[in-house]
Amino acid sequence: MAVSYKRLWRLLVEKEMSKSDLRKKADIAPNTMTKLRRDEDVSLTILSKICKTLNVDFGDIVEYVPDAEIWDLYNEKRELVGKDHVRGEQLPIDGYHLVVHVWIRNSKGEYLISQRSVNRPTYPLMWECVGGSVVKGEDSLRGAIREAKEEVGVDLEPGKGQVLFTKVRKIIEGKIYNDIMDVWLFDYDGEVDLNNATTDEVAQVAWMDREQIKELLELKMFVGTLEYFFTEVDK
């Protein structure tokens, strides 16, 4: 659960009022203003003061964000900057979040490839490897293991994974990504059953070799940003 005060900041702009003006007029302590800027919970008393000062209702200044995914923010050197970020909001120009791509390989040299569900907002029904954003408090390894369980129902062993490479991505196809991508490779010969997945992000899975994955790419059925597979994963 999380809250967002974006409505409050937009309202201040409309009223040509600074945050400092609001703090003084509503008699809000500096540390409370810091909580508001960080989208942290504050008391109803504080919210009432703000509403009275601006002559508005609660819904005009605060918004509940259900099941929000929170990320740790890093600088370009992969150092934590001590700030949180709500998924879906615009990343700051100097803020980066950590993502993982997880390639799962069996002893036959085949890779576990998944097809995105039809309800996914991007690349619906296209094929890819497991991947996603590392959430607040996780490191890259824990994020990779969680994503594999969530998406394809696989329990990976930490000792059977390795980071093949890391890449800082700023802009992809004209879109600001601002992420630090760790590409993992795990060896796995266990069971694969989508009924064990904890989300509905994946429609189906299949073990595929290099040529089968290449065919998907040529048919434009494989997510194009994963083309590095042929030079960095399956060398």
Side-chain angles (χ1 to χ4, degrees):
M1 183 181 75
V3 294
S4 171
Y5 300 103
K6 289 193 298 183
R7 293 178 179 178
L8 171 60
W9 310 134
R10 287 197 293 264
L11 191 60
L12 291 183
V13 172
E14 293 173 4
K15 291 180 175 291
E16 298 182 348
M17 179 185 295
S18 69
K19 294 177 182 178
S20 178
D21 291 336
L22 174 65
R23 184 180 68 80
K24 293 174 183 177
K25 291 183 179 181
D27 190 23
I28 299 173
N31 64 324
T32 301
M33 286 299 296
T34 299
K35 287 185 176 181
L36 290 168
R37 287 196 296 271
R38 293 178 178 175
D39 285 333
E40 296 177 0
D41 290 331
V42 298
S43 69
L44 286 176
T45 300
I46 296 300
L47 295 178
S48 295
K49 283 184 176 182
I50 295 174
C51 287
K52 184 177 180 179
T53 300
L54 300 177
N55 192 28
V56 296
D57 294 324
F58 285 127
D60 296 319
I61 64 172
V62 62
E63 177 183 11
Y64 167 63
V65 184
D67 300 322
E69 184 172 296
I70 309 298
W71 301 335
D72 285 314
L73 280 184
Y74 298 78
N75 61 24
E76 194 171 348
K77 296 180 180 179
R78 201 177 177 137
E79 299 167 332
L80 284 168
V81 298
K83 294 182 180 180
D84 297 343
H85 183 79
V86 178
R87 179 174 185 165
E89 296 185 359
Q90 179 66 52
L91 283 160
I93 191 67
D94 57 349
Y96 295 79
H97 70 107
L98 188 60
V99 302
V100 289
H101 287 182
V102 187
W103 296 90
I104 301 171
R105 180 181 62 189
N106 64 21
S107 56
K108 298 179 182 179
E110 298 169 326
Y111 297 86
L112 187 62
I113 306 302
S114 57
Q115 185 183 38
R116 296 168 68 88
S117 296
V118 68
N119 60 358
R120 298 291 294 276
T122 57
Y123 304 116
L125 296 180
M126 294 190 70
W127 292 80
E128 63 177 359
C129 66
V130 166
S133 297
V134 174
V135 299
K136 179 177 174 61
E138 284 185 336
D139 58 18
S140 179
L141 175 59
R142 284 189 289 171
I145 291 174
R146 175 185 52 76
E147 287 288 346
K149 181 64 174 181
E150 287 184 355
E151 293 187 10
V152 295
V154 165
D155 293 307
L156 297 176
E157 295 183 27
K160 293 188 176 181
Q162 60 175 312
V163 176
L164 298 181
F165 68 93
T166 297
K167 183 178 182 180
V168 176
R169 304 187 299 178
K170 296 184 178 181
I171 298 177
I172 300 177
E173 297 177 351
K175 179 182 177 181
I176 297 176
Y177 265 59
N178 273 27
D179 65 28
I180 301 170
M181 178 182 71
D182 283 345
V183 177
W184 286 87
L185 176 64
F186 280 83
D187 291 318
Y188 181 79
D189 279 304
E191 178 186 14
V192 179
D193 185 349
L194 273 183
N195 290 321
N196 295 326
T198 59
T199 68
D200 60 355
E201 299 177 44
V202 171
Q204 61 177 318
V205 295
W207 289 103
M208 297 188 185
D209 59 26
R210 179 189 179 94
E211 292 307 312
Q212 290 171 309
I213 296 173
K214 184 177 180 181
E215 182 178 356
L216 284 178
L217 181 66
E218 291 173 347
L219 292 172
K220 298 188 184 302
M221 296 173 61
F222 195 71
V223 176
T225 55
L226 302 178
E227 193 171 3
Y228 68 77
F229 164 81
F230 301 99
T231 57
E232 302 295 336
V233 181
D234 191 71
K235 298 181 180 179

